[in-house]
Amino acid sequence: MTEAAELPPAPEGARTVFGEYFPEAVRYAELLADAGVKRGLIGPREVPRLWERHLLNCAVLSEVVPENVTVCDVGSGAGLPGIPLALVRRDLRITLLEPLLRRTNFLQEVVEVLGLDHVTIERGRAEEMLGKVPPVHVVTARAVAPLDRLAGWGVPLLRPYGEMLALKGDTAEEELKGARAALGKLGVVDTSVLRAGEGVVDPPATVVRVEVGESPGGVRFAAKRAKAARTGRTRRRR
């Protein structure tokens, strides 16, 4: 069994970011450092940098998420960025989408322990969820896949005029440039690279924002969307 590394104390900035929910953030960090490592959800080498690289880096995403919207965290894994976002933004309704059972079990435990009643968990792959989960205003993702592939999974889950927010690294601009053609085919109408957490995390979090028009997923998903809508209406009539 993998031994859990020692979790360092929370940095002072964590109290500012998480506010009244700082104790819950500490409990989440403890769960990641213990059960998260033992179950193979995060590597033991990540424990010493859990706060700066993971919890705070994800929590500052809240700076660019609109108020009172629905969010789907695609490939949520151990709950990053969905859980930190849920801790600082009680106005959001968040779905954590994850295909692996051991991860969804962990997420369910975390949600219950932290009392996150505005968070739900769905087990499944994003590409299989069209019509199974309601379209959302915002899709979030972190280090799941290259941007073009990630958009192919996440963009179809959006409502018209929604947006995908992907936490990326130093190559965000280059990755965005290489994905423009694929994004255009998915109904994307605008893209930008944002920085979040200035003065809180060093370096600030890099966020790629992908905005869609009236047809999320473009022509490629129009037929699937229509079929899913018909199936939904049929189920409701039964």
Side-chain angles (χ1 to χ4, degrees), residues 89-107:
R89 293 289 301 275
R90 299 292 169 133
D91 60 303
L92 305 175
R93 285 168 289 152
I94 300 177
T95 298
L96 307 179
L97 181 58
E98 168 56 47
L100 296 183
L101 179 60
R102 63 187 171 90
R103 293 177 179 170
T104 54
N105 286 342
F106 175 77
L107 292 173

Side-chain angles (χ1 to χ4, degrees), residues 66-191:
E67 294 183 0
N68 301 307
V69 296
T70 53
V71 177
C72 182
D73 188 31
V74 170
S76 196
L80 301 164
I83 296 293
L85 183 61
L87 284 170
V88 297
R89 293 289 301 275
R90 299 292 169 133
D91 60 303
L92 305 175
R93 285 168 289 152
I94 300 177
T95 298
L96 307 179
L97 181 58
E98 168 56 47
L100 296 183
L101 179 60
R102 63 187 171 90
R103 293 177 179 170
T104 54
N105 286 342
F106 175 77
L107 292 173
Q108 191 64 57
E109 292 167 20
V110 169
V111 165
E112 291 173 3
V113 168
L114 302 185
L116 300 175
D117 55 9
H118 59 308
V119 176
T120 58
I121 296 151
E122 291 282 351
R123 184 184 171 204
R125 298 182 181 279
E127 58 268 37
E128 300 168 352
M129 302 307 287
L130 188 64
K132 296 181 181 179
V133 295
V136 295
H137 297 94
V138 177
V139 163
T140 59
R142 180 177 189 246
V144 175
L147 186 59
D148 54 352
R149 201 182 332 155
L150 177 58
W153 299 336
V155 166
L157 300 178
L158 290 169
R159 293 169 50 141
Y161 307 103
E163 60 188 60
M164 184 179 76
L165 299 170
L167 281 161
K168 287 288 184 178
D170 297 336
T171 60
E173 298 272 7
E174 183 180 340
E175 199 172 332
L176 180 56
K177 191 179 299 183
R180 288 198 192 281
L183 295 176
K185 293 177 182 178
L186 288 168
V188 172
V189 297
D190 197 16
T191 61

